[in-house]
Amino acid sequence: MWMIEIPPFFPFFIGALIVSLTRGRLRGMIMVAIPIVSALHLWLMPEGIHLQFLLFDYQLIPYRIDKLSLMFGYVFHIAALIGIIYSLHLRDTMQQVSAMMYAGSGLGAVFAGDLLTLFIFWELLAFTSVFLIWARRTERAFVAGMRYLIIQVLSGVILLAGALFYASDNNTLEFGYIGLDSVAGWLIFIAFGIKCAFPMAHNWLTDAYPEATVTGTVFLSAFTTKVAVYALARAYPGVELLVYIGAAMTCFPIFFAVIENDLRRVLAYSLLNQVGFMVVGIGIGTALAINGAVAHAFNDVIFKGLLFMSMGAVLHMTGRINGSELGGLYKTMPKTTILCIVGAASISAFPLFSGFVSKSMVVSAALEEGFEWIWLMLLFASAGVFHHAGIKIPYFAFFAHDSGIRANDPPKNMLVAMAIAAGLCLAIGIYPQALYALLPFDTGYNPYDATHVLAQTQLLFFSALAFVWLNLKGLYPPELRSINLDFDWVYRRAFPTALQKIFTIIWKLDRVLRQGLKLKLKVYLTFIAQKNGRLSGLLSKNYPSGSMVMWVAVVLAIYLFLSFIQ
Amino acid sequence: MKLQKKHLFDAPKNIKRILRLLYVCCVLLLVLDFIIDRHISHNWENLWGFYPIFGFVSCVILVLVATRMRTFLMRNEDYYRDEGTNDKAITSSATQSGEASKRKDCISQKSTTKKGDRDVDD
């Protein structure tokens, strides 16, 4: 039955090809049909290895299904479908083709059963997604995309190096638990870490995502970091270092998010914060924590997609995205406002919304395993994410002071995509058992016990109270036209400036040396010329060297001529 | 001129109502702390009003610290404007399309006029 064993990336790649050859309504229909058909197909597939072959001495497994990869497989199909519907109004072949390829690469990576296949899709993720940034067709987007590509490719190269070490150590390329006790383990860890946007390697995300197109960011937010989370969950569960890295990731971005003006960049920072929760879950490594991490990745794809879509709708309709220029949009964009608030409530983990049923697993696991201080950091991050993503985003875009902009709700396809995402957020929040049934482990966890619900509601309501109080007191930082320095300052400003300074010195030194040398040379030349000038006029300095070349040519011509008449 | 339509939050009365609702909810949640029988897994949770106070205080600290951070992190919007020339990898690979190379030219022109002390044509 070879028909059945088609890996999910395949229909997407074929789809990309068809998309590039079709136009208009037909293209739209094909794009919508592919994730639906592929998802149905995946639904029917049993677990196990479905495709493998030998390359030299190594067993390659391009298609392997288990519970962990299946979760990501499902959510990537959902994300692809939502993103495609959201971008149906586009007439841009470059974006539509690269979006299909990008979704396919994400699916290829999560179903890869060996490190070489993983590496190929890892790099494909980078090369296909960068076009979603360049498609903005501005100079800023171009350079941001270039930085993004360089860092992503670097991650891939490190992964390849790690995979080679791994193969020589273990004589296999199979992608399973790796751990940190070898060089290969560390190299692969760093590669995953870059793609997972670990602190100090995080700026490719906050730099590039806000520069991408309206629809491109929706795709970008779904795949790259989640593939990295999946890879970490498979290779490094229970590695304690991840707990601390993840906790740092949950906390530091919220400070930047509070003072950031570009609302899509605020969302990029909150994406880091959410990925932090997943990384903590993987680091704790118990069944509950891994379940929490995976479930949170699943939910995050949907609610972060919803938030990026709502901000994309604002950018699409008003042409603006800075908090300082927006406000009062609820008057003319009521539907977008409501959908955005659903996303905001989900990411803030309000009970009955999707974030609550997954984030609480990670937080509970942290407390159960005795990570008390980490638990406090996670609570702080939970309050913080509500502050910047839950309140700041909807407040500054749709309420706050009236900016005078009277933009309408976006095109219907955008609203439909957002409505699907919002519906899923609510459905998962209200009936989490459907999601839990798909998780890798069966823990019998129930998020809706009175203690949990009360604690979370108290935390959130008093955070809201803090926002109100700060606003009334005038202590809340106003949205200003500005950018904030982050770690990328090191490679965008410090390094280049230092290099430039060094090169200025080198060039100056070089000029002095060369001038000295030229002077010396001149002195010698005049000295020799004077000597020759006395001997004969033919060798003098004033006699052009071209004439000698001419005479050589003449002599050769005569030779040639002589050879003919012989 | 037509009269502008009045919207929900144009009236200060409605904003007051929302705020009052929030205050009532907060008080209710505090009271519930005593009514609901909570099963607690850590001692800290036993402290009076742990979650409400933690939520409020951490948000205030977050905002105050972040505002402080502005003093040394905030820059003008075009702080990185001439970045394209600083990074060799970016400009050298900018030759992929005609448009891009044109762009590169205009960037490098800008830079040579700006940074005069770099003498390349010697």
Side-chain angles (χ1 to χ4, degrees):
Chain A
M1 288 285 282
W2 67 272
M3 272 292 285
I4 294 177
E5 318 214 320
I6 298 170
F9 69 84
F10 194 70
F12 280 84
F13 285 3
I14 294 292
L17 189 70
I18 302 173
V19 163
S20 64
L21 298 174
T22 50
R23 290 282 172 277
R25 196 170 277 270
L26 178 65
R27 174 190 280 186
M29 273 167 18
I30 289 168
M31 285 186 73
V32 171
I34 281 171
I36 294 175
V37 172
S38 174
L40 285 177
H41 179 241
L42 184 64
W43 185 259
L44 298 172
M45 290 295 280
E47 285 177 30
I49 291 171
H50 293 287
L51 195 63
Q52 58 180 334
F53 57 88
L54 274 178
L55 182 77
F56 306 117
D57 284 342
Y58 293 107
Q59 184 86 4
L60 294 192
I61 312 166
Y63 190 21
R64 176 185 66 182
I65 296 184
D66 62 9
K67 282 213 146 148
L68 186 62
S69 50
L70 209 49
M71 275 298 277
F72 286 87
Y74 289 146
V75 79
F76 283 178
H77 277 96
I78 295 172
L81 180 65
I82 292 174
I84 285 168
I85 294 176
Y86 185 74
S87 56
L88 271 182
H89 64 280
L90 277 186
R91 297 282 170 272
D92 183 354
T93 309
M94 172 162 120
Q95 267 194 78
Q96 284 168 319
V97 169
S98 64
M100 292 298 272
M101 296 280 290
Y102 180 44
S105 311
L107 283 164
V110 295
F111 289 113
D114 66 278
L115 287 167
L116 197 63
T117 315
L118 181 71
F119 162 76
I120 291 168
F121 286 112
W122 201 261
E123 292 288 34
L124 272 177
L125 274 172
F127 283 107
T128 51
S129 59
V130 74
F131 288 99
L132 297 173
I133 303 165
W134 285 341
R136 189 88 178 269
R137 297 183 172 88
T138 61
E139 188 187 316
R140 271 171 60 146
F142 180 78
V143 285
M146 204 44 99
R147 282 193 295 271
Y148 168 86
L149 189 61
I150 289 169
I151 295 173
Q152 297 291 316
V153 170
L154 180 74
S155 157
V157 172
I158 298 173
L159 174 62
L160 182 62
L164 294 178
F165 271 100
Y166 187 79
S168 72
D169 285 352
N170 303 302
N171 226 356
T172 171
L173 274 171
E174 197 182 336
F175 181 38
Y177 179 82
I178 295 174
L180 278 181
D181 40 16
S182 63
V183 181
W186 276 102
L187 281 173
I188 297 172
F189 186 76
I190 292 168
F192 290 176
I194 293 174
K195 224 171 189 94
C196 201
F198 281 0
M200 290 192 281
H202 66 278
N203 277 122
W204 61 264
L205 197 156
T206 56
D207 181 21
Y209 282 16
E211 300 300 338
T213 61
V214 166
T215 51
T217 315
V218 177
F219 283 101
L220 286 168
S221 72
F223 297 101
T224 302
T225 47
K226 303 310 175 299
V227 167
V229 166
Y230 157 79
L232 281 173
R234 182 170 295 285
Y236 301 96
V239 171
E240 204 178 319
L241 180 61
L242 285 175
V243 176
Y244 307 112
I245 293 175
M249 277 179 85
T250 59
C251 286
F252 88 88
I254 55 183
F255 291 96
F256 284 94
V258 168
I259 51 175
E260 178 58 54
N261 189 22
D262 182 332
L263 293 181
R264 290 204 300 173
R265 190 157 283 132
V266 173
L267 286 178
Y269 276 113
S270 85
L271 177 57
L272 292 177
N273 154 288
Q274 296 299 307
V275 172
F277 280 96
M278 299 163 211
V279 174
V280 170
I282 295 165
I284 294 170
T286 58
L288 181 63
I290 297 280
N291 266 2
V294 174
H296 203 50
F298 191 98
N299 289 336
D300 182 66
V301 167
I302 298 169
F303 60 61
K304 190 51 59 62
L306 175 55
L307 284 169
F308 269 119
M309 284 193 281
S310 64
M311 285 303 109
V314 168
L315 176 61
H316 183 71
M317 299 310 291
T318 68
R320 274 152 243 209
I321 196 60
N322 287 341
S324 57
E325 297 164 22
L326 293 170
L329 289 177
Y330 78 93
K331 295 172 181 174
T332 49
M333 300 177 79
K335 290 173 194 154
T336 316
T337 309
I338 291 168
L339 292 166
C340 177
I341 289 174
V342 172
S346 303
I347 196 174
S348 316
F350 264 98
L352 298 182
F353 290 89
S354 63
F356 178 72
V357 302
S358 50
K359 195 196 278 181
S360 59
M361 280 196 263
V362 176
V363 180
S364 305
L367 195 55
E368 265 176 30
E369 296 304 306
F371 291 103
E372 289 163 359
W373 292 100
I374 298 294
W375 174 70
L376 276 188
M377 285 172 84
L378 295 184
L379 278 189
F380 172 65
S382 302
V385 71
F386 176 50
H387 212 91
H388 71 256
I391 303 179
K392 175 174 171 162
I393 291 281
Y395 181 74
F396 283 108
F398 299 110
F399 303 102
H401 72 284
D402 191 343
S403 61
I405 301 172
R406 293 287 179 267
N408 289 326
D409 269 319
K412 213 166 253 163
N413 65 301
M414 285 183 155
L415 285 175
V416 169
M418 287 193 273
I420 294 173
L424 282 170
C425 285
L426 275 165
I428 294 171
I430 293 167
Y431 186 67
Q433 284 73 18
L435 176 70
Y436 291 170
L438 299 173
L439 289 173
F441 304 101
D442 186 15
T443 54
Y445 179 79
N446 172 28
Y448 287 114
D449 79 56
T451 316
H452 260 133
V453 174
L454 180 65
Q456 181 68 9
T457 324
Q458 284 176 335
L459 190 75
L460 294 179
F461 267 83
F462 279 82
S463 305
L465 193 66
F467 180 81
V468 170
W469 182 73
L470 288 164
N471 246 327
L472 291 178
K473 285 266 167 198
L475 289 172
Y476 199 82
E479 296 292 288
L480 298 174
R481 295 178 58 91
S482 64
I483 57 158
N484 297 302
L485 302 186
D486 197 343
F487 188 77
D488 57 350
W489 177 80
V490 171
Y491 58 80
R492 289 175 70 178
R493 195 27 84 86
F495 257 1
T497 316
L499 277 181
Q500 207 186 331
K501 289 242 164 78
I502 292 170
F503 273 105
T504 319
I505 295 171
I506 290 177
W507 267 310
K508 268 192 185 142
L509 212 70
D510 171 74
R511 189 159 40 152
V512 170
L513 278 177
R514 261 199 282 175
Q515 269 171 359
L517 211 68
K518 262 162 122 180
L519 208 70
K520 278 262 158 67
L521 212 65
K522 224 177 192 166
V523 170
Y524 287 137
L525 277 178
T526 33
F527 175 70
I528 293 170
Q530 270 173 3
K531 280 205 149 180
N532 287 340
R534 255 178 267 147
L535 287 174
S536 116
L538 270 178
L539 285 170
S540 87
K541 191 190 169 203
N542 302 330
Y543 211 80
S545 52
S547 67
M548 189 190 74
V549 176
M550 193 194 74
W551 282 117
V552 170
V554 168
V555 170
L556 286 175
I558 291 169
Y559 269 131
L560 200 67
F561 181 69
L562 287 177
S563 68
F564 272 125
I565 48 177
Q566 221 182 18
Chain B
M1 286 283 272
K2 266 190 274 177
L3 263 179
Q4 274 217 323
K5 204 179 137 198
K6 271 272 176 192
H7 291 277
L8 186 59
F9 296 112
D10 281 343
K13 193 176 66 185
N14 287 334
I15 297 176
K16 278 220 172 98
R17 271 189 198 149
I18 295 253
L19 289 184
R20 211 164 294 151
L21 188 71
L22 176 71
Y23 300 147
V24 171
C25 284
C26 286
V27 172
L28 268 180
L29 284 168
L30 262 186
V31 173
L32 275 178
D33 224 14
F34 299 101
I35 298 172
I36 290 181
D37 177 31
R38 299 186 302 155
H39 24 233
I40 281 149
S41 42
H42 197 276
N43 283 336
W44 292 339
E45 289 183 275
N46 239 342
L47 301 170
W48 184 85
F50 172 77
Y51 285 104
I53 292 172
F54 189 89
F56 188 86
V57 171
S58 61
C59 275
V60 171
I61 291 175
L62 165 68
V63 170
L64 294 183
V65 171
T67 317
R68 258 326 112 68
M69 277 164 58
R70 269 197 166 160
T71 55
F72 59 92
L73 287 182
M74 197 163 75
R75 290 293 184 277
N76 206 334
E77 263 184 329
D78 43 12
Y79 177 74
Y80 287 123
R81 190 56 59 84
D82 56 343
E83 64 194 332
T85 51
N86 294 341
D87 197 335
K88 292 233 154 126
I90 289 170
T91 40
S92 68
S93 46
T95 42
Q96 289 195 337
S97 66
E99 199 189 328
S101 62
K102 233 184 283 162
R103 206 180 292 144
K104 189 185 109 190
D105 290 341
C106 83
I107 296 171
S108 54
Q109 248 175 16
K110 229 191 293 169
S111 82
T112 43
T113 50
K114 249 186 199 167
K115 298 166 197 118
D117 58 336
R118 192 166 89 185
D119 195 348
V120 198
D121 298 322
D122 190 14

